[in-house]
Amino acid sequence: MKEYVRQLMRRGAITCSETTSIRDIAQIMVVNQVRYCVVINNEHEVIGIVSADSLICTFGLDLDETKAQDIIVKDKRRVFTTTGKTPLTEAIDIMKRLKIGHLVVLADHPASRAVLGILFSSDIVAEMARRQEEGEKS
Amino acid sequence: VKVCDLMHKGVISCYAEDTVKDVARMMDQHHFRSIVVVNERGEVWGIISFREMMPHYSKNLSQLTAGEIMRPYKIEVDPQWSIENAIDVMRRLRYYHLIVVDPHVGTKWPVGILSSSDVVKCMSNLTSGRYEQMLKIRRETTEP
């Protein structure tokens, strides 16, 4: 049974900068078939995350002029992030409380803001299905 | 742009008596983010997305039914609605999967789903032909 975030997370992340236009972010999402984009600064530190759900608020605006910094969910208090050593149940609690479908996984060092990977709710559900089937077989 | 232009035609559905284990298997196999729960007449009853599934991570899924964990769903989205109208509903109610129902029959039969990623696809301005092209370019550049 998988118990820690690092066992279920996907390594690596799709990133963009604060000045990327919304049109470009939408294209990044469609071409890479993802529903999120992690926003990083020049030092490759995580500033926040843009999801497909927050992107739809800009429908109708000038998408080439609107930038990521206008809609970004800023993460100053490290609420949208977790580390690889966090127990999975704790991470699920955070996702449930904040009503989000993915958590950014940072490196374990407390001062580090570098992105290590992403924990998806889809992987959690896939793991649930897999575990039930294994239980049936045994 | 209308809802029917962007929505996913057809839905994956289950009954309220089905076990959550079956729902998890359906989500995993079909790569669907939301399953529509219907009653015996085929009308929309509720919706199960990853958000409803996750809190039951460490439980025995074969003892839970879809009816127990589903989120009741009462909005009726018409395929002829403008996309702005649908986005307004999404933002206000924080429902990022809208079930589109057939307006011509009396019952609420689901005909499709409009999700936030369908709207993002429209915003990206990539037509299907160009999208295929970009995937091809990407495949050529990533493969040796």
Side-chain angles (χ1 to χ4, degrees):
Chain A
M1 186 172 167
K2 293 184 176 162
E3 285 170 356
Y4 293 99
V5 168
R6 65 165 182 272
Q7 292 172 300
L8 210 57
M9 73 178 200
R10 291 197 192 178
R11 274 149 185 93
I14 309 287
T15 57
C16 69
S17 85
E18 265 186 305
T19 50
T20 313
S21 72
I22 299 298
R23 174 91 65 205
D24 287 342
I25 294 177
Q27 291 187 352
I28 289 169
M29 283 186 186
V30 171
V31 171
N32 292 294
Q33 296 181 319
V34 290
R35 292 170 51 85
Y36 73 92
C37 205
V38 179
V39 184
I40 54 171
N41 63 12
N42 291 338
E43 278 86 48
H44 296 276
E45 292 173 336
V46 178
I47 307 171
I49 191 161
V50 175
S51 68
D53 297 347
S54 60
L55 211 62
I56 58 168
C57 301
T58 59
F59 190 88
L61 301 178
D62 187 348
L63 299 181
D64 296 309
E65 289 301 313
T66 318
K67 307 285 181 203
Q69 59 198 1
D70 301 329
I71 62 157
I72 182 178
V73 181
K74 285 220 169 123
D75 184 34
K76 281 182 187 155
R77 290 181 293 144
R78 300 174 71 104
V79 285
F80 291 98
T81 55
T82 183
T83 60
K85 283 180 183 166
T86 312
L88 210 47
T89 45
E90 210 173 286
I92 290 171
D93 274 346
I94 299 172
M95 287 162 111
K96 196 181 137 196
R97 203 177 60 239
L98 300 172
K99 297 183 177 177
I100 49 176
H102 36 245
L103 272 181
V104 182
V105 184
L106 300 182
D108 288 330
H109 193 272
S112 168
R113 297 282 298 160
V115 57
L116 208 65
I118 309 273
L119 177 71
F120 290 99
S121 51
S122 55
D123 290 338
I124 294 173
V125 174
E127 170 67 18
M128 284 162 81
R130 209 174 302 130
R131 229 176 45 203
Q132 287 293 321
E133 270 170 30
E134 276 171 16
E136 264 177 23
K137 277 178 197 164
S138 64
Chain B
V1 189
K2 286 178 184 168
V3 169
C4 57
D5 300 330
L6 295 185
M7 73 178 195
H8 249 91
K9 277 95 182 167
V11 297
I12 302 269
S13 62
C14 71
Y15 292 110
E17 306 85 54
D18 291 350
T19 61
V20 177
K21 189 182 84 184
D22 292 336
V23 176
R25 194 186 294 149
M26 276 157 80
M27 279 180 161
D28 190 29
Q29 280 173 359
H30 298 288
H31 299 287
F32 253 62
R33 302 182 58 82
S34 51
I35 304 276
V36 179
V37 184
V38 294
N39 64 8
E40 62 281 359
R41 278 175 296 172
E43 294 173 344
V44 179
W45 204 246
I47 189 165
I48 298 178
S49 61
F50 292 150
R51 201 177 291 168
E52 277 77 45
M53 296 286 288
M54 276 192 304
H56 308 285
Y57 179 72
S58 45
K59 291 181 189 164
N60 186 358
L61 301 187
S62 43
Q63 285 174 354
L64 282 168
T65 61
E68 287 172 45
I69 68 157
M70 73 173 192
R71 188 165 40 148
Y73 191 90
K74 294 209 174 79
I75 316 160
E76 286 181 34
V77 180
D78 193 297
Q80 295 297 320
W81 271 18
S82 70
I83 202 73
E84 285 85 359
N85 209 346
I87 290 171
D88 192 44
V89 171
M90 278 186 181
R91 283 170 58 185
R92 231 161 357 101
L93 303 174
R94 288 175 167 254
Y95 275 49
Y96 294 108
H97 291 93
L98 294 182
I99 304 171
V100 185
V101 295
D102 194 341
H104 300 299
V105 287
T107 51
K108 293 198 295 175
W109 279 345
V111 289
I113 283 194
L114 179 78
S115 72
S116 50
S117 24
D118 295 328
V119 179
V120 170
K121 208 174 275 182
C122 166
M123 286 163 70
S124 70
N125 240 2
L126 298 175
T127 56
S128 60
R130 202 175 149 205
Y131 174 48
E132 297 299 326
Q133 275 176 12
M134 286 182 80
L135 278 184
K136 201 175 138 205
I137 293 166
R138 185 160 166 259
R139 222 172 290 132
E140 281 167 3
T141 49
T142 48
E143 281 172 15

